[in-house]
């Protein structure tokens, strides 16, 4: 923890000693990386520093309401080079995308993150693996820099906390997260508006896909596994990645179900498999055995073969898991 | 606010001066009434007082994990009478159900609630209309009574706060709510388990109904209204009230939609209409004009006539609302 305090001091020094920063959020951006980048932008603005915000990809529509979000540029549209880069919510260098053309040889990087896998690639590193979100680190940094909190800054930090804790529903929802959220609400943040825009808005495309997915949902193995699938022909040409997200949760969330699975055929004989579990089955280990990754409750892998093969092989694997015989409904 | 302090003092006195309490939660119980009753039961237990817990109806399965929930009895199964009753989250006397047979003429009632419409029917009243949940009042009462917090008590209060703020997503999610939640997490409450059980669990019956409802969903009026309906024949005989809940939100939550509507045919020519809006249209006023009730963002009414009539009359009403021409996507 003392180490973290030193990191905060060094990060603040990096900010005070440099100017004209490039703030980089991670490829395929989520709520935390965008919110934390924008929180940082507000901090720099309040300190009288200049900055540019960049991301390799487009910002999802549901985060465009965030104050300063309109200033985030697409990486390939930029030509200027920067001496000082701050990466936000970026676990390793490659997650910044094609950043090289924006860097000099002498460019220094401040790496601000919360991923336990962060490899400390920065010249200065501010990494708190126990934090629920990079937004939590940004809150600590704001205090370190002694800036005055205001609604826009608070809105950005709140959004990062909200989205990276799944709406205060994941196990990373700590007392610290809730205390920070309480303080941020004092600055006029609207918890209902932010939740509505970032967590609840669904696209008409999602409704179409969900309708098909629910019609194919099967509950098997005495109610302990629920799964569904979408074939390539079910997916409209313009389906966004976002629009199939969350379908696996409908499977997992069914009463009595331990493992929820969503199979998505992305190409002939190519099936993306998403796994979720509630209490016991380690789906991370299962995904890993198929060459994928994730953690005990949420994981995924790519299967090469037919949908029927994917299903029967996975079913065999899950029911052979050592936890399978210990399934109960314990709280 | 001082008045509230006096109310807390009087409520504490009522508890200290009596024993063998009957704790009554409201008919058709929700998360807050059950959680707050059980929080109170823990308080009384810790003070060495005896109590019985009662409700007119069955406790929904998703609240049965709460510590002491197994002690809640069905009202009609009881014959004893009580001199001291504490009503919890009960806005008016009738919401206790058929309580009369459990009361003497001299029975005294302590009324603990947060509804702005509470009519102070108790002999002692502890009512805080600005509270997000009765659980918030229970937290204040616990401090007033100077009991030691522990995991079970904290779990009950947390669950009440969580469910009555829609998972910290409604506009009643205040800084105070979040500060209390933070403190409760320090006692070992599991935010992820509670959210999973109370907010995320869906029944196989709900999946069936949702599938039908989504297949009938229509987006009209340039994307500003989304609605769907279930006919009597769509509803399996054993459909629980819970299982059609939330369907209106799928309509409301669609990008660009301002008003979501769910029509449920409960009998021939009898249609229950649920209305939700995002920003502008006052659906409370609309529901009221049809003899129903609710507030600006969530309301409902019963329509007597055919589904087609219900739709066309409501469509006309919504688009004539004075807010209709001011619809935008403002944050």
């Amino acid at each position: 923890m003392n180490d973290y305090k030193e990191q905060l001091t060094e990060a603040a020094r990096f900010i005070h000693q440099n100017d004209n920063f490039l703030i980089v959020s991670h490829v395929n951006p989520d709520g935390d990386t965008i919110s934390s980048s924008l929180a940082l932008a507000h901090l720099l603005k309040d300190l009288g520093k200049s900055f540019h915000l960049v991301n390799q990809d487009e910002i999802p529509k549901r985060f465009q309401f965030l104050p300063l979000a309109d200033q985030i540029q697409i990486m390939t549209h930029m030509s200027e080079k920067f001496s000082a880069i701050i990466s936000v919510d970026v676990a390793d260098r490659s997650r910044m995308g094609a950043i090289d053309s924006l860097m000099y040889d002498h460019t220094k990087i401040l790496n601000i993150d919360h991923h336990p896998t962060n490899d400390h690639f920065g010249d200065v590193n501010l990494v708190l693996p126990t934090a629920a979100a990079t937004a939590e680190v940004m809150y600590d940094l704001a205090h370190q820099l002694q800036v005055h909190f205001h609604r826009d800054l608070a809105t950005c930090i709140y959004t990062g906390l909200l989205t990276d804790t799944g709406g205060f529903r994941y196990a990373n929802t700590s007392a610290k997260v809730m205390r920070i959220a309480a303080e941020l609400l004092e600055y006029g943040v609207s918890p209902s508006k932010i939740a509505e825009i970032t967590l609840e808005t669904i696209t008409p495309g999602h409704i179409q896909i969900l309708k098909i997915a629910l019609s194919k949902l099967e509950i098997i193995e005495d109610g302990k596994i629920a799964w569904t699938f979408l074939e390539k022909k079910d997916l409209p040409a313009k389906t966004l990645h976002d629009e199939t997200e969350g379908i696996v949760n409908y499977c997992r969330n069914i009463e009595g179900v331990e493992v929820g699975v969503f199979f998505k055929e992305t190409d002939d004989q190519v099936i993306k498999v998403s796994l979720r579990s509630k209490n016991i089955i380690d789906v991370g280990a299962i995904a890993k055995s198929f060459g994928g990754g994730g953690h005990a409750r949420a994981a995924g892998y790519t299967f090469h073969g037919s949908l029927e093969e994917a299903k029967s092989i996975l079913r065999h694997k899950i029911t052979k898991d050592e936890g399978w015989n210990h399934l109960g409904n314990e709280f």
Side-chain angles (χ1 to χ4, degrees), chain A:
Chain A
M1 211 54 186
N2 193 37
D3 186 40
Y4 180 55
K5 286 204 169 163
E6 279 169 32
Q7 289 184 32
L8 282 167
T9 309
E10 279 183 47
R13 190 182 304 131
F14 183 92
I15 288 170
H16 284 305
Q17 291 179 344
N18 290 285
D19 203 348
N20 195 33
F21 297 92
L22 183 69
I23 304 175
V24 189
S25 39
H26 69 65
V27 298
N28 193 10
D30 65 5
D32 188 28
T33 198
I34 297 169
S35 304
S36 298
S37 309
L38 296 176
L40 178 63
H42 286 286
L43 293 181
L44 294 176
K45 198 175 155 204
D46 295 350
L47 292 168
K49 301 283 186 179
S50 70
F51 56 85
H52 286 78
L53 288 150
V54 74
N55 193 288
Q56 166 138 323
D57 303 311
E58 292 277 358
I59 304 308
K61 209 168 161 187
R62 68 182 179 285
F63 302 121
Q64 289 175 3
F65 77 96
L66 286 163
L68 293 179
D70 57 335
Q71 297 198 15
I72 303 177
Q73 293 175 267
I74 300 292
M75 204 169 276
T76 49
H77 299 177
M78 291 186 86
S79 49
E80 198 184 341
K81 285 180 194 273
F82 295 84
S83 299
I85 287 180
I86 308 181
S87 65
V88 179
D89 200 43
V90 169
D92 61 74
R93 227 188 125 103
S94 70
R95 296 276 291 159
M96 288 196 279
I99 191 79
D100 285 348
S101 61
L102 308 180
M103 292 174 74
Y104 300 108
D105 285 347
H106 66 263
T107 295
K108 298 281 185 233
I109 299 176
L110 165 58
N111 159 21
I112 305 180
D113 189 29
H114 78 118
H115 291 93
T117 54
N118 190 293
D119 63 6
H120 290 241
F121 61 86
D123 298 283
V124 177
N125 299 285
L126 174 57
V127 179
L128 184 63
T130 57
T134 296
E136 183 179 326
V137 182
M138 231 30 102
Y139 170 87
D140 292 334
L141 182 62
H143 276 281
Q144 181 71 32
L145 291 165
Q146 297 182 293
V147 302
H148 286 285
F149 277 74
H150 50 76
R151 184 173 182 263
D152 285 354
L153 172 60
T155 292
C156 293
I157 298 177
Y158 188 91
T159 303
L161 295 177
L162 181 79
T163 55
D164 245 30
T165 58
F168 307 118
R169 291 186 189 184
Y170 298 158
N172 63 355
T173 307
S174 64
K176 183 182 171 192
V177 164
M178 294 307 242
R179 271 198 307 274
I180 297 173
E183 186 186 325
L184 297 173
L185 292 181
E186 307 273 14
Y187 296 103
V189 167
S190 170
S192 56
K193 277 284 144 206
I194 297 176
E196 178 192 312
I197 296 172
T198 62
L199 301 177
E200 301 195 334
T201 296
I202 48 188
T203 62
H206 178 75
I207 295 270
Q208 285 308 317
I209 287 167
L210 180 60
K211 195 162 73 181
I212 302 168
L214 292 184
S215 71
K216 296 180 173 182
L217 191 148
E218 297 170 321
I219 303 179
I220 57 169
E221 291 291 344
D222 218 15
K224 292 176 194 160
I225 298 176
W227 61 27
T228 190
F229 56 96
L230 288 173
E231 293 168 272
K232 228 175 115 186
K233 65 175 170 53
D234 298 327
L235 296 163
K238 273 188 61 184
T239 303
L240 304 168
H241 171 70
D242 266 15
E243 291 179 338
T244 58
E245 245 184 56
I247 285 178
V248 66
N249 294 325
Y250 285 89
C251 299
R252 191 204 90 125
N253 291 344
I254 295 169
E255 205 175 24
V257 164
E258 168 66 15
V259 182
V261 190
F262 171 51
F263 300 93
K264 181 165 82 170
E265 184 190 45
T266 56
D267 219 326
D268 291 339
Q269 304 280 306
V270 180
I271 316 235
K272 297 244 179 199
V273 185
S274 303
L275 296 161
R276 297 289 183 276
S277 71
K278 270 187 193 146
N279 296 305
I280 290 172
I281 302 294
D282 182 351
V283 293
I286 291 171
K288 211 173 160 188
S289 76
F290 289 111
H295 55 85
R297 300 289 158 256
Y301 63 94
T302 301
F303 181 84
H304 296 272
S306 73
L307 186 63
E308 285 315 311
E309 284 164 352
K311 283 164 123 180
S312 76
I313 294 171
L314 177 61
R315 181 173 183 160
H316 184 80
K317 189 85 192 171
I318 295 173
T319 55
K320 288 286 167 289
D321 184 280
E322 61 178 280
W324 189 253
N325 298 316
H326 303 287
L327 291 182
N329 267 327
E330 65 287 83
F331 170 57

